[in-house]
Amino acid sequence: MRHFVIILFFLPFLAGCDKVLLGDSDPVIPLEENLQTPPALNDGWETSDLASQQIDIAPIHRLVSFIQNTPNNIHSLVIIRNNKLVLESYYTGWHRDRVHALRSVSKTFMGTLTGIAIGKGHFTLDRSASEFLPEYAGLMNDQKRQIRIRHLLTMTSGINWDEKTYEPEDLRNDETAFDRSDERLSYLFEKNMAFPPGQEFEYNSALPVVEAVIIRQATGIHATDFADENLFKPLGITNRYWRTDRNDGYITAIGPLFLTPRDMAKLGQLYLDSGMWKGNRILSKQWVKEATTNFRGDEASGDGYAFHWWTGLYNVAGKTIKIYNARGSGGQYIFVAPDMNAVVVFTSGNYDSRQDAPVGMLTNIILPAMTRN
């Protein structure tokens, strides 16, 4: 509770600096505690030991020890199997009560809110986004009026966009320029169209902001409040923070959501259970299926894309299995492996170095440990 109070105190002073939320002075969790069976905390998770869920203990303990003792900037590892929390480990001063910057994993949460709103009948996937943006009608040409909500979710809007070529602090980076604009949606819709909507994938971090605007227009409440009532409250998530834009009040494009790893894992479990949590339906089964079915990209290389979920086919212990994941810069991951009935969460701080180490740890160590028994 003490850490949460500190977080709330500092939130008004945030200016895009995640370090305010990091609590660098917190003590390091000892290895012995990281290897213990996680405690039950009345937060919705049942806990269990590794062996009881048919997981080989030795390779998992070696991995935890490796992360603990090797400089790699991984902050947490959480493993769920058979709907049981079986491993919860924290490193370099992180602990279970500290919320972490989710970066682009936030997009998957916003996509989920869009799915909930659709399930409640507020709009459909094939509604034009422009219908919810009447004040920007003057910026909408015929092609822009053809952008459907599904095109926002699949990153196929067709808008000319580049957030890859330039460094994040460079205003030529569209993501940065968008978030620093005093009129963000004007910045987005003043851009030219590069392709007809639905034709080409182009990663665009502004599109989930448009989803947030649509939810506000369709439901009458901000997406963050909609999330509290329709996602976070049903999942038992109370320790969370949404970063919002100072001008329009909607979520930022750059890393808006902060959650704990235990709570991040709940989103993975929600999808693994076809939209159910503790016997309550939050998402439709059809939404979960469509949201995790590759629409664009190369699944063989792990770069398929659905509704803000990445999809991939991976070799695990000699078998090809499908894994879908929410991923964010720095090494934030929610992996869902239906064939293993497993959810695995990593948080990391590798913003300026290689970020995909968790993928190798998942496919070479964690999931193979689930196939040996």
Side-chain angles (χ1 to χ4, degrees):
M1 179 61 71
R2 176 178 64 85
H3 299 287
F4 188 49
V5 171
I6 292 172
I7 288 169
L8 290 176
F9 176 81
F10 279 112
L11 291 184
F13 303 100
L14 281 172
C17 180
D18 297 343
K19 290 184 178 179
V20 176
L21 294 176
L22 301 189
D24 291 331
S25 63
D26 290 343
V28 173
I29 302 297
L31 177 61
E32 293 75 16
E33 183 175 339
N34 277 333
L35 296 176
Q36 291 174 3
T37 298
L41 299 177
N42 196 31
D43 63 349
W45 284 119
E46 296 180 29
T47 63
S48 179
D49 61 277
L50 293 163
S52 296
Q53 303 309 316
Q54 294 77 52
I55 301 175
D56 192 348
I57 297 172
I60 301 299
H61 281 196
R62 284 196 298 269
L63 175 61
V64 172
S65 298
F66 172 79
I67 298 173
Q68 184 101 16
N69 298 316
T70 306
N72 49 54
N73 219 11
I74 289 177
H75 297 156
S76 71
L77 166 60
V78 168
I79 300 176
I80 314 293
R81 195 178 200 199
N82 302 326
N83 217 334
K84 303 287 196 304
L85 177 62
V86 296
L87 185 91
E88 179 188 19
S89 56
Y90 301 94
Y91 312 97
T92 64
W94 289 87
H95 56 76
R96 69 173 58 92
D97 294 323
R98 279 173 56 184
V99 294
H100 200 285
L102 270 58
R103 296 301 178 103
S104 286
V105 172
S106 307
K107 295 178 174 64
T108 313
F109 279 85
M110 185 53 63
T112 299
L113 296 179
T114 302
I116 293 171
I118 287 172
K120 291 181 175 295
H122 292 294
F123 47 83
T124 67
L125 277 169
D126 290 313
R127 287 282 295 277
S128 169
S130 66
E131 294 179 42
F132 300 90
L133 304 164
E135 63 268 45
Y136 301 97
L139 300 177
M140 301 292 183
N141 59 21
D142 287 343
Q143 278 196 328
K144 289 175 185 174
R145 283 190 288 271
Q146 294 171 22
I147 299 173
R148 310 298 177 187
I149 291 171
R150 71 167 63 247
H151 299 144
L152 306 177
L153 293 160
T154 56
M155 299 284 189
T156 58
S157 70
I159 295 173
N160 188 26
W161 194 261
D162 183 4
E163 57 183 80
K164 300 175 183 175
T165 302
Y166 303 102
E167 294 298 319
E169 292 303 313
D170 192 320
L171 283 176
R172 291 174 295 179
N173 182 309
D174 276 321
E175 179 186 35
T176 300
F178 171 81
D179 252 1
R180 293 187 182 179
S181 172
D182 290 335
E183 184 34 81
R184 296 191 298 165
L185 292 187
S186 291
Y187 178 90
L188 173 65
F189 290 112
E190 285 171 355
K191 304 286 287 186
N192 294 327
M193 294 292 288
F195 306 99
Q199 179 173 300
E200 296 289 337
F201 175 88
E202 183 59 57
Y203 197 80
N204 184 333
S205 292
L207 301 183
V209 178
V210 180
E211 295 164 33
V213 176
I214 290 171
I215 290 172
R216 171 68 175 86
Q217 294 295 97
T219 68
I221 62 174
H222 271 283
T224 51
D225 297 323
F226 186 82
D228 287 344
E229 186 63 28
N230 296 284
L231 182 61
F232 294 155
K233 183 177 179 181
L235 293 179
I237 296 174
T238 58
N239 190 3
R240 79 283 176 273
Y241 167 62
W242 284 97
R243 180 181 290 157
T244 56
D245 182 77
R246 67 188 185 282
N247 292 312
D248 58 36
Y250 296 109
I251 61 167
T252 59
I254 301 174
L257 183 58
F258 293 72
L259 290 177
T260 67
R262 282 175 77 121
D263 286 340
M264 290 171 64
K266 292 177 181 179
L267 187 74
Q269 190 65 50
L270 176 67
Y271 276 81
L272 187 58
D273 286 342
S274 300
M276 300 287 290
W277 175 261
K278 303 300 178 184
N280 298 315
R281 180 157 296 283
I282 297 175
L283 282 167
S284 73
K285 188 173 183 179
Q286 177 59 30
W287 172 268
V288 171
K289 180 180 179 180
E290 193 163 2
T292 58
T293 298
N294 182 45
F295 182 77
R296 282 288 187 272
D298 181 12
E299 282 199 315
S301 64
D303 286 329
Y305 202 77
F307 290 173
H308 298 329
W309 284 99
W310 296 90
T311 67
L313 301 175
Y314 296 88
N315 184 300
V316 176
K319 296 181 179 179
T320 299
I321 67 171
K322 179 175 178 177
I323 302 169
Y324 54 91
N325 70 88
R327 71 176 71 152
S329 66
Q332 326 316 322
Y333 288 94
I334 304 173
F335 295 104
V336 183
D339 288 351
M340 304 296 185
N341 199 20
V343 176
V344 177
V345 167
F346 282 91
T347 60
S348 313
N350 291 308
Y351 301 106
D352 300 316
S353 58
R354 185 170 178 174
Q355 305 175 19
D356 61 355
V359 178
M361 292 177 179
L362 177 82
T363 57
N364 295 323
I365 301 172
I366 298 171
L367 294 182
M370 297 180 183
T371 63
R372 296 175 184 175
N373 294 330

